[in-house]
Amino acid sequence: MKTIQHKFVKFIPEVIEEGILYISIEYCTAIHKCVCGCGNEVVTPLSPADWEITFNGKTVSLDPSIGNWSFECQSHYFITRSKIRFARRWKEWEIKEGRKEDSENKEKYFKKKRD
Ligand SMILES: [Zn+2]
């Protein structure tokens, strides 16, 4: 099974190496190159409305899954305990539903924040 290494960094480096998940706690963001090898950089903001990172001292997990719908490769995978598990591609309507849900979650989150 494919694995990904992780690197805790203060700043996101200019050159992103393949197979490494760079995590900046300071900027609440993580970045890695799409694991399919297409070379696209995937930015995953870390927040209650975006991605959640789990570090168990050895391996990292990102939740939810990563769906690169805006890339040509359309790859979809999970990073669980530094292992990459490919998921099936979503159908068009699922992507739309997923996006809708995502923006609804965001709305709730930001509303909560303002109260
Ligand atoms: Zn890709």
Side-chain angles (χ1 to χ4, degrees), residues 34-40 68 71 73-75:
C34 179
V35 301
C36 86
C38 66
N40 282 305
N68 294 324
F71 301 158
C73 67
Q74 302 256 300
S75 56

Side-chain angles (χ1 to χ4, degrees), residues 8 13-14 22 25-26 29-30 39 42 66-68 72 78 83 102 113:
F8 287 102
E14 277 194 30
Y22 296 86
I25 300 294
E26 198 148 334
T29 206
V42 184
I66 293 150
N68 294 324
E72 215 160 292
F78 294 85
K83 288 200 178 93
D102 190 51
K113 235 183 155 180

Side-chain angles (χ1 to χ4, degrees), residues 4-7 9 11-17 19-24 28-34 40-46 53 62 66 79:
I4 193 160
Q5 314 239 302
H6 61 271
K7 219 178 228 178
V9 291
F11 303 104
I12 298 300
E14 277 194 30
V15 180
I16 304 297
E17 271 181 62
I20 298 175
L21 176 71
Y22 296 86
I23 305 152
S24 170
C28 292
T29 206
I31 190 168
H32 70 281
K33 272 199 175 169
C34 179
N40 282 305
E41 288 172 7
V42 184
V43 181
T44 46
L46 307 174
I53 203 153
L62 260 186
I66 293 150
I79 297 177

Side-chain angles (χ1 to χ4, degrees), residues 49-103:
D50 294 292
W51 277 270
E52 196 174 305
I53 203 153
T54 312
F55 174 58
N56 69 0
K58 210 167 187 180
T59 60
V60 289
S61 306
L62 260 186
D63 189 66
S65 63
I66 293 150
N68 294 324
W69 318 125
S70 53
F71 301 158
E72 215 160 292
C73 67
Q74 302 256 300
S75 56
H76 179 208
Y77 47 88
F78 294 85
I79 297 177
T80 311
R81 294 191 178 155
S82 298
K83 288 200 178 93
I84 293 151
R85 189 159 48 89
F86 280 92
R88 68 181 174 87
R89 289 180 187 184
W90 279 9
K91 302 208 170 59
E92 195 74 18
W93 68 268
E94 288 176 303
I95 295 173
K96 278 194 200 123
E97 283 297 302
R99 286 210 175 120
K100 207 174 78 197
E101 203 176 283
D102 190 51
S103 59

